[in-house]
Amino acid sequence: MSVTWEELGWERLTAGVGRCRLPGWDCTAGLVLGEDTALLVDAGSSLAEGARLRAQAEELAGGRVTHLALTHPHFDHVFGAAAFAGAEVYAAVGLDAALSHERAELRLDAIRNGLPVADADEAVDALVPPGHLVSGEWTLDLGGGRQALLANVGPGHTAYDLAVLVPGDPEVVFCGDLVEESGEPQAGPDAVPSRWPDALDRLLALGGEDALYVPGHGAVVDAGFVRRQRQDLAARFGVI
């Protein structure tokens, strides 16, 4: 008998699509199942967390994780990536350079936010740039009639924001930290506030009114929530 999403602590969103909220930073990881394929969205905050995610995802998929999409280059989303050896890794253009040249900053940010030094060092040493860079949109055929659209919708939360749209009824949009529900969206030194509202407009155009929007942190939201957050960000940063 196969295990259910709920038994592993995951939230099933539609047939073959779900997500989990990871402990510590309440970061979301998403999973999209195809035919003998599995796409994971974001990799967790450490190699150990990435390994746990991979084990759970592969139990749900009944096979290996074949694809990994990284929504942006913050430690709680990418530090587990090396646990997915053999998977095809996708990210927005420029994220490869960020992982290669900003390792010291990523390490310090992780430690400042409470990741143990040993875990941060291990993850940074193992970081490998993604093999597939998305400049516009990239459709993945996962087999069995399942597709996933990777869309470079940034900059906004960072300079390298990638969203993942899973067509269906309803459609599901994995937003990364362009959308946050459990707190105010975080704008660090690598944010591009003047472009963030535009990025949310692109998310809304991508998913439409009836989609489920999965934030990088917090509960699943609707288009109305994304639209309100877009207006709040525009007011916060003085964007017309």
Side-chain angles (χ1 to χ4, degrees), residues 40-160:
L40 194 80
V41 182
D42 284 335
S45 61
S46 68
L47 287 178
E49 189 164 71
R52 288 193 296 271
L53 271 175
R54 181 166 195 163
Q56 292 177 356
E58 293 186 342
E59 190 167 1
L60 289 167
R64 60 186 290 268
V65 172
T66 53
H67 301 75
L68 172 64
L70 302 175
T71 62
H72 64 287
H74 287 166
F75 81 93
D76 48 336
H77 297 260
V78 303
F79 268 14
F84 294 86
E88 299 290 328
V89 183
Y90 299 79
V93 167
L95 188 140
D96 55 331
L99 295 187
S100 295
H101 304 309
E102 299 173 15
R103 293 183 179 221
E105 291 86 346
L106 286 170
R107 174 185 177 276
L108 288 174
D109 183 56
I111 293 168
R112 279 195 299 266
N113 280 280
L115 189 69
V117 172
D119 290 350
D121 288 343
E122 180 185 45
V124 166
D125 287 345
L127 275 177
V128 176
H132 305 285
L133 301 174
V134 182
S135 59
E137 295 181 350
W138 190 320
T139 299
L140 296 179
D141 185 353
L142 299 174
R146 173 78 73 194
Q147 292 185 327
L149 177 69
L150 312 182
N152 186 336
V153 296
H157 177 65
T158 71
Y160 321 108

Side-chain angles (χ1 to χ4, degrees), residues 10 20-29 42-45 49 53 56 76:
W10 287 62
C20 68
R21 293 170 68 170
L22 300 170
W25 295 275
D26 189 26
C27 181
T28 286
D42 284 335
S45 61
E49 189 164 71
L53 271 175
Q56 292 177 356
D76 48 336

